[in-house]
Amino acid sequence: MGLGHNTKLLLCFFGIFGCYFYYGVVQEKITRGTYGAENERYYYTMFLVFCQCIINALFAKGILLVTDSPADKTPAHLSFICGVTYVGAMLASNASLKWVNYPTQVLGKSCKPIPVMILGVLLAGKRYNIVKYLSVLLIVIGVALFMYKDGKSDGSGFSFGSGEMLLLTSLTLDGLTGVSQEKMRGYGMKAHYMMLMMNLSALVVMSLSLLATGEIWQALAFCSKHPEIVPEIITFGFASALGQNFIFITVSEFGPLMCSIMTTTRKFFTILGSVVLFGNALATRQWIGTAVVFTGLVLNDRFGKTVKVEKP
């Protein structure tokens, strides 16, 4: 007897939450730690993502071999487009930090469900009831209120520059990734085939980027000089693979919009958990954001499930 709808959804949520919590811990250790007697820092994030994609692809292939899954008939170009937009969104988001601060990036990426929903409607033929639109909007607003960091204004007012353009590009690519995944679902593509093909496509893009920038040789030299970082990179990759395992099960079973809602609220629940466990204080704005998020989640659970899909 299979797991029920809500049980499977909760399992995916806690799987994503747990794996990416540990993923963040290891990432912090790699990127903020020091290595060797000279206390050198590791700065080669593109190579780190490249290694992550290799381990993700190997994990997915291993699952497919063990489960003896039948051959997939999804057109290859959909998988390639999905991999390119996935990597592009990640690179654009990371590059935006050269011009905007981290809180601004987090706020921008908290809007991810909106382009996933809008482009899903425009390009993938998705249809949602009005409560679904309202619940997603409430979740995004609540997360933004919760994650926003108060700071002193520099008096320059709002400006739309390179950083904001990169964030907008990242969000658009997130939406296009969701469209590709929705179309792949239309062909009956299973979770681990989707995971394998997307990471293989991403590896093509990452390989070209690493060779073009020369970062691959710098990163390999660093790893050769400090071999103690290699087990950490492998652990980081396995945490990513386990997390992606739950992400693609969510995409395959519940759709990319639900997955984007879960990944968007993940940081919210991480911080909220620290409040419960360690007694960290919340600002009034954050309590309001908490109430708004839970209102959106309850509305989505109770009334936002009616979805009509037009066949591709």
Side-chain angles (χ1 to χ4, degrees):
M1 184 175 179
L3 295 174
H5 178 278
N6 289 339
T7 302
K8 188 178 289 186
L9 191 61
L10 281 173
L11 180 63
C12 287
F13 174 78
F14 285 112
I16 291 170
F17 182 89
C19 291
Y20 280 103
F21 177 81
Y22 185 62
Y23 170 96
V25 170
V26 181
Q27 184 181 42
E28 182 102 357
K29 186 177 180 183
I30 292 172
T31 57
R32 296 181 67 86
T34 57
Y35 296 89
E38 299 173 358
N39 292 325
E40 292 185 81
R41 297 278 295 274
Y42 180 89
Y43 295 108
Y44 313 108
T45 53
M46 197 184 302
F47 179 77
L48 195 61
V49 174
F50 176 76
C51 294
Q52 172 185 325
C53 289
I54 290 175
I55 295 174
N56 289 342
L58 290 173
F59 179 92
K61 183 63 177 177
I63 294 292
L64 291 171
L65 289 173
V66 169
T67 56
D68 194 25
S69 300
D72 186 76
K73 297 180 180 179
T74 306
H77 74 273
L78 278 180
S79 301
F80 182 73
I81 291 170
C82 190
V84 170
T85 55
Y86 159 72
V87 170
M90 186 163 34
L91 293 177
S93 178
N94 290 340
S96 72
L97 289 171
K98 294 180 181 178
W99 290 277
V100 301
N101 56 27
Y102 181 69
T104 300
Q105 187 213 42
V106 170
L107 283 174
K109 293 297 283 185
S110 72
C111 298
K112 179 180 175 180
I114 292 178
V116 170
M117 174 175 272
I118 292 173
L119 292 180
V121 170
L122 295 176
L123 301 179
K126 298 291 293 182
R127 294 294 180 265
Y128 303 97
N129 62 35
I130 190 66
V131 179
K132 189 77 172 181
Y133 291 104
L134 177 61
S135 63
V136 168
L137 184 61
L138 286 173
I139 290 167
V140 168
I141 291 172
V143 171
L145 281 171
F146 192 88
M147 301 298 292
Y148 177 73
K149 300 284 188 183
D150 292 316
K152 295 181 180 179
S153 173
D154 60 5
S156 60
F158 176 78
S159 62
F160 191 89
S162 300
E164 289 79 11
M165 179 58 74
L166 283 166
L167 279 176
L168 183 60
T169 301
S170 178
L171 288 169
T172 302
L173 291 172
D174 281 330
L176 291 173
T177 300
V179 170
S180 301
Q181 290 172 338
E182 202 64 69
K183 289 184 178 292
M184 289 156 75
R185 287 182 75 211
Y187 286 94
M189 192 177 209
K190 299 302 181 184
H192 293 97
Y193 267 114
M194 198 180 293
M195 180 177 173
L196 173 64
M197 297 309 295
M198 196 183 83
N199 279 286
L200 288 177
S201 301
L203 280 171
V204 174
V205 178
M206 295 303 299
S207 298
L208 294 174
S209 300
L210 283 168
L211 289 171
T213 60
E215 183 176 309
I216 187 169
W217 313 119
Q218 297 168 344
L220 289 173
F222 187 96
C223 292
S224 177
K225 186 177 181 180
H226 305 289
E228 66 271 20
I229 198 175
V230 175
E232 294 175 359
I233 292 176
I234 293 172
T235 303
F236 172 79
F238 273 108
S240 167
L242 286 171
Q244 274 205 6
N245 169 66
F246 289 108
I247 280 178
F248 282 100
I249 291 173
T250 303
V251 170
S252 179
E253 297 285 337
F254 306 104
L257 178 60
M258 176 57 73
C259 185
S260 70
I261 291 172
M262 289 169 65
T263 53
T264 296
T265 55
R266 177 176 60 85
K267 287 183 179 179
F268 162 81
F269 281 108
T270 300
I271 297 174
L272 193 61
S274 74
V275 174
V276 174
L277 294 174
F278 305 111
N280 296 323
L282 288 183
T284 303
R285 183 198 65 255
Q286 290 178 304
W287 283 115
I288 294 171
T290 300
V292 172
V293 168
F294 277 105
T295 300
L297 290 172
V298 170
L299 280 175
N300 182 63
D301 181 62
R302 297 300 179 102
F303 308 109
K305 296 179 181 178
T306 304
V307 180
K308 296 178 181 179
V309 183
E310 295 179 2
K311 295 294 182 182

